[in-house]
Amino acid sequence: MWGIGKMALEIIRIPVLSDNYVWMAHEPVSGETMVVDPAVADAVLAEADSRGWTITQIWNTHWHPDHTGGNADIKAATGCTITGPAGEAERIPTLDRTVSEGDTVALGGLTAHVLDVPAHTAGHIAFHLPEAATAFTGDTLFAMGCGRLFEGDAAQMYAAMRKFEAMPDETAVYCAHEYTLSNGRYAVVAEPDNAALAARMVEVEAARAAGEATVPTSIGLEKATNPFLRAISVEQLAERRAAKDSFKG
Ligand code: ZN
Ligand code: FE
């Protein structure tokens, strides 16, 4: 960065299934349009059509069907290129390019850096676009939460949290689910003395009552309120994850 500020990237939220968000990012200089984790095809294609955009890329964070289910039909309709985790290539047969930490993916003039953040799934990746102050975190970092440990362990999730923590506070975090209210109800139990968390929950309760989305969030907000990003050890993260798994809020 040379003081030119955030580069333009228009990001659209497409709510699908019960609580998934598909993110559509349009880079206006090149005209490229990318979708992250398309659970379905029709709603995504319709959204692009309504804006006069053509989808040129899909980025997948992990193999789960609610993140890849639209891949084949969107590709058939647009001829887009699909990029996803090298560690899950055999589980995502629609991939054109496989990537892992250290790789970059171009979106027009913007560069996304790939991070390996396994834990929810064995090969889960995230995409960080520092020039746009944007991160796509899939099912690893959520607003006030983290993904369930289906294929990995707490040590891996703790390591993943350190990678998110290292991003600038102003980084916008685009996660793949609207889990904020449920996450927050557990978070206030985990950290009952956290004033920033209590204040955030007031806002989240109001937003959800009004039917509004609560994401994107930001790295700074998560550093202040997310009990998994804030866990001080692998053991504490493991305890909190187990407690959340059985939490009835
Ligand atoms: Zn998932
Ligand atoms: Fe998911």
Side-chain angles (χ1 to χ4, degrees):
M1 299 293 289
W2 293 271
I4 53 174
K6 289 205 312 186
M7 287 184 68
L9 189 63
E10 189 172 353
I11 302 179
I12 307 301
R13 178 194 306 105
I14 309 170
V16 300
L17 307 181
S18 60
D19 52 32
N20 278 75
Y21 290 136
V22 178
W23 300 105
M24 176 176 288
H26 181 71
E27 198 282 297
V29 179
S30 64
E32 279 216 69
T33 300
M34 177 277 293
V35 289
V36 181
D37 286 352
V40 298
D42 288 353
V44 174
L45 289 166
E47 185 70 36
D49 271 354
S50 75
R51 293 169 186 277
W53 297 347
T54 300
I55 295 167
T56 55
Q57 298 192 52
I58 292 170
W59 296 353
N60 292 142
T61 64
H62 66 295
W63 67 268
H64 283 161
D66 64 313
H67 299 256
T68 56
N71 277 11
D73 286 349
I74 293 171
K75 184 171 182 169
T78 64
C80 69
T81 299
I82 309 180
T83 299
E88 300 181 358
E90 69 291 340
R91 305 188 82 163
I92 315 176
T94 44
L95 293 183
D96 298 299
R97 181 183 174 205
T98 61
V99 293
S100 57
E101 184 148 330
D103 289 331
T104 59
V105 188
L107 178 63
L110 294 169
T111 300
H113 298 259
V114 176
L115 298 174
D116 286 334
V117 289
H120 177 70
T121 61
H124 199 301
I125 58 174
F127 298 90
H128 181 210
L129 296 89
E131 299 152 311
T134 293
F136 297 105
T137 63
D139 284 0
T140 298
L141 179 65
F142 292 121
M144 293 186 279
C146 74
R148 285 181 183 251
L149 304 177
F150 289 127
E151 299 176 3
D153 60 24
Q156 290 175 309
M157 187 60 85
Y158 186 81
M161 293 295 130
R162 304 287 73 77
K163 296 181 185 183
F164 296 124
E165 186 179 57
M167 294 176 185
D169 283 358
E170 65 271 23
T171 307
V173 173
Y174 294 84
C175 55
H177 291 274
E178 177 64 62
Y179 288 163
T180 311
L181 192 55
S182 154
N183 287 339
R185 285 177 177 153
Y186 167 71
V188 296
V189 172
E191 295 197 5
D193 300 326
N194 184 332
L197 176 53
R200 185 180 188 183
M201 271 307 277
V202 172
E203 293 177 14
V204 165
E205 298 263 9
R208 294 308 293 154
E212 294 164 8
T214 63
V215 290
T217 174
S218 72
I219 292 296
L221 193 50
E222 294 315 307
K223 282 161 75 172
T225 64
N226 185 312
F228 301 96
L229 192 64
R230 292 167 58 78
I232 59 169
S233 64
V234 172
E235 291 69 30
Q236 189 178 53
L237 189 151
E239 282 169 20
R240 290 180 168 188
R241 186 61 262 177
K244 173 66 169 70
D245 286 348
S246 58
F247 183 71
K248 302 278 184 279

